[in-house]
Each structure stands twice: as C-alpha cells, then as structure tokens.
Amino acid sequence: MEWLEVYALTGVKKNTIRVRKKEIQILNRYIAKVNIDKISSKMYQSILTDLSKPNPTRKPVTYARTTIEGVHTTAGMIFKYAIKEKMIKESPTTHAIIPKQRKTVEEIENQSIEEEYLELDEISEFLGVVEKHGLYLDVERFYLLAFSGMRPGELCALKWTDISFSKRTVRVTKTLVNENNNMREYELTPPKTEGSIRTFDVPEHVINILKQHKMKQMRLLNDGRKKYKDFHEGNFVFCRENGYPFAPKNILDRMKRLLEKTSIQKHATPHIFRHTHISMLAAAGVDLPTIMERVGHEDVKTTMRIYMHVTKKMKEDASIKINETLRNILDFKVSL
C-alpha cells in the first residue's frame, strides 16, 4: 500500500510496521473495494461500531479496545495522507467515536488485581517446579525474569557485555524481535521506550546462577563452533548450541509446559513476571518512582494498581497485627 511504504520511510520499527499491516487488514475487510473518496463519516463510524461488538462469525469474536484504537489511529494517518495527496478533502475519521465497551456485572465481580501477578507462594511453587522439571536455560531465564522485571524480548537480547558480575548489575539497551520464530531472522531493536534503557542490580543468587551458566555455555559453544559451519558469534547470554538466540516465543512455550505441573490457576504469560516483580518491590517497601525506573517505565496505570493494592494489603496486615498485639496486652492485664 502506498501510505505504508511512505510511513516506513519515517524510520519506525519493523514491529510497528507489522502492527500497522494487521490494522490495515482489519480495515480492508470493510473497505477494500471502496474508493477512498467514497468512504463517508457514517460508513467509517459503522466500522468502529461493528468492531466494538462481539461477532460469533468473525475471528476473533471480540476485539480488544486497544486493537480498535490502533485501527482508528492507522485509519486517521491513511486519510490524512490522502488529504495531503488531494485524493479527498476531509477525513471521515475526524468526528468518529470508538464505542465504550461496558463490562458486565460478572466481569466486574470477577476482575481481580491478584490475577495480574503471582503471589509469594505461587512464585515459590513455580520456581520450585522450574528447578525440578526445567529444561535447558529454564532456571536461568525464569529466575532472572522473576527478579528483574525484564520483558521477554529484553531478556532474549541480553549479551554478556550487558552483565557485570562484579557490580551484580544487568544493563538493558535493546530488545529482540523475531516475527517468524526463525532463529536466523532475529532483529535487535531499541527498547520499547527511552525509559526502558536502564541498569539495575540483581540478587546475588541470580548472579551466581548466571556465572555457572556462563561456564557451562563456554564448553557448549566451543563444541558448537566445531559442529556448525554457520556458527553465530553473537555473544548472547541465552542462545542455542549454534550461537543463535532464542525467540521470546520459546519462553512462552516453556512457561506453558511448566505451569501444567503447578497448581497455579491464573492465566500467566512471561509478562506476569514484570507485574510480580513490581509486587515484590512494593512489598519490600520500595517507593513507586524507583520501581518505575527499575522495570523501565512500565504502564503507569498497571504499576499504580499493583503498587496501591500491595501497599493497601500491607497496611491491612499491619492493622491486624496491631490489633492482635493489643488483645495480647489486654489479656495479659486481665490475668494480672
């Protein structure tokens, strides 16, 4: 498409181009055969309205509001380009409204912030299963995810130059994108936001796990250099025997396998470790600005919700303990 080719010239990331292509595909289900100057405001509004309704004959049946917002943003840019090229005089998106999707009573009642992170007993159980049933790199990757709050793509992009054993720190400067899950077609791109570029400390136990991993990896890669003609000298912390890095999907697949061996009922993906780390920091009394900086400026609303929930729970626990102490004192006085 003409607009997309011009848009790509602005230097946006390949992943963003991929998202825009998907949003255009959604639009084309409605207007692929309609001339752009024939698309009215009413017609465009009906598209947004239809996308906001569940449709059993469509895949997916229901679109998330963020998806619809993305489609609307892309449409706006396309029509703005059409105005610039004098194809149309005004954009049909100008006064369009994305319908609000009201939650049902059941959805509101069942919505729980606890679903967004793992409790202490859950993360303990999961890591216990990792140690007992984990495959190659599971221990190293899941411990680091749990105690760093890194995104899976950031973890896959880690190189040994990003880790300081003496300072016990990890530096995040990039993320790994692999759309086709083909090890040779990976791409390293800048992190999600400027705030995502960061250096943080990790627990000594995790650093020791990484030290042991590096020693084992050196032997494995030395064998790989002899075995593979196209051996990849990427210096990745987490890579295959041939030197190529794993894709984020590999972490997701490994996590699904391990979750089946636990009693955890939550719908958990590797991203839940970011939220889990936020909850652990909040429980440890770390202030909100420090947490935001450590996890790379995670979505403010999500971070705030988890932070406020955990700290509120801590206050409630403190109140219970104070009341118990008071009862013990009163009981002691009565017994005198």
Side-chain angles (χ1 to χ4, degrees), residues 295-322:
V295 299
H297 294 196
E298 169 72 317
D299 175 63
V300 179
K301 290 181 181 178
T302 303
T303 305
M304 276 291 292
R305 285 180 68 225
I306 295 172
Y307 181 82
M308 295 302 292
H309 175 77
V310 173
T311 52
K312 181 183 177 182
K313 193 175 177 182
M314 288 169 63
K315 288 176 183 176
E316 291 172 352
D317 291 343
S319 178
I320 291 171
K321 289 176 182 176
I322 290 171

Side-chain angles (χ1 to χ4, degrees), residues 157-163 174 186 188 233-237:
L158 275 182
K159 297 196 174 190
W160 285 113
T161 49
D162 297 318
I163 295 176
K174 53 196 168 295
Y186 77 87
L188 296 180
E233 295 286 0
N235 198 32
F236 287 99
V237 175

Side-chain angles (χ1 to χ4, degrees), residues 80-109:
K80 186 177 179 181
Y81 176 79
I83 292 172
K84 176 174 156 296
E85 296 298 319
K86 298 186 174 15
M87 298 177 189
I88 56 175
K89 291 183 179 179
E90 60 179 345
S91 172
T93 67
T94 303
H95 301 294
I97 296 171
I98 299 175
K100 285 191 175 180
Q101 298 168 318
R102 293 188 65 184
K103 292 182 178 178
T104 64
V105 173
E106 290 78 13
E107 286 174 330
I108 293 171
E109 289 178 343

Side-chain angles (χ1 to χ4, degrees), residues 40-52:
S40 64
S41 297
K42 185 177 180 180
M43 184 188 297
Y44 180 73
Q45 181 62 62
S46 69
I47 293 172
L48 293 181
T49 302
D50 187 65
L51 289 174
S52 301

Side-chain angles (χ1 to χ4, degrees), residues 48 214 246 254:
L48 293 181
K214 187 173 185 180
F246 286 93
R254 293 286 186 89

Side-chain angles (χ1 to χ4, degrees), residues 47-63:
I47 293 172
L48 293 181
T49 302
D50 187 65
L51 289 174
S52 301
K53 295 178 181 177
N55 186 341
T57 64
R58 179 182 66 199
K59 286 188 178 181
V61 173
T62 304
Y63 282 107

Side-chain angles (χ1 to χ4, degrees), residues 72-274:
H72 182 49
T73 299
T74 297
M77 290 190 286
I78 291 171
F79 287 116
K80 186 177 179 181
Y81 176 79
I83 292 172
K84 176 174 156 296
E85 296 298 319
K86 298 186 174 15
M87 298 177 189
I88 56 175
K89 291 183 179 179
E90 60 179 345
S91 172
T93 67
T94 303
H95 301 294
I97 296 171
I98 299 175
K100 285 191 175 180
Q101 298 168 318
R102 293 188 65 184
K103 292 182 178 178
T104 64
V105 173
E106 290 78 13
E107 286 174 330
I108 293 171
E109 289 178 343
N110 292 329
Q111 185 178 358
S112 173
I113 186 67
E114 281 95 345
E115 291 296 314
E116 298 184 26
Y117 66 90
L118 298 177
E119 298 280 4
L120 184 60
D121 60 329
E122 291 173 324
I123 189 65
S124 297
E125 181 186 1
F126 180 79
L127 291 176
V129 168
V130 170
E131 290 181 359
K132 187 175 181 181
H133 301 286
L135 303 176
Y136 175 59
L137 294 181
D138 281 351
V139 169
E140 293 83 354
R141 294 190 295 189
F142 286 115
Y143 261 93
L144 187 52
L145 282 174
F147 291 96
S148 71
M150 294 175 71
R151 299 177 178 92
E154 294 172 343
L155 183 105
C156 292
L158 275 182
K159 297 196 174 190
W160 285 113
T161 49
D162 297 318
I163 295 176
S164 171
F165 290 128
S166 59
K167 296 178 181 178
R168 293 195 320 200
T169 59
V170 173
R171 179 183 59 179
V172 173
T173 61
K174 53 196 168 295
T175 188
L176 186 142
V177 179
N178 195 326
E179 296 175 16
N180 301 321
N181 203 30
N182 183 320
M183 64 181 177
R184 290 176 177 79
E185 295 179 2
Y186 77 87
E187 180 184 5
L188 296 180
T189 67
K192 191 174 181 181
T193 64
E194 283 293 322
S196 295
I197 300 171
R198 62 203 188 277
T199 300
F200 50 84
D201 61 285
V202 292
E204 186 175 3
H205 179 69
V206 178
I207 281 292
N208 288 336
I209 288 174
L210 292 175
K211 281 181 181 178
Q212 293 171 17
H213 162 55
K214 187 173 185 180
M215 288 188 288
K216 293 176 186 174
Q217 188 193 65
M218 286 173 65
R219 293 193 292 269
L220 182 72
L221 296 185
N222 281 336
D223 291 339
R225 287 184 181 91
K226 301 171 187 174
K227 193 173 178 181
Y228 299 98
K229 292 181 179 179
D230 65 338
F231 183 87
H232 187 58
E233 295 286 0
N235 198 32
F236 287 99
V237 175
F238 304 112
C239 63
R240 304 166 191 272
E241 189 183 9
N242 59 8
Y244 282 95
F246 286 93
K249 186 179 183 300
N250 179 260
I251 300 176
L252 175 62
D253 293 340
R254 293 286 186 89
M255 186 172 182
K256 286 179 179 177
R257 171 185 172 271
L258 292 165
L259 280 171
E260 290 176 356
K261 300 179 184 296
T262 72
S263 62
I264 299 169
Q265 297 299 310
K266 295 175 180 176
H267 175 67
T269 67
H271 197 78
I272 203 171
F273 291 112
R274 281 177 67 72

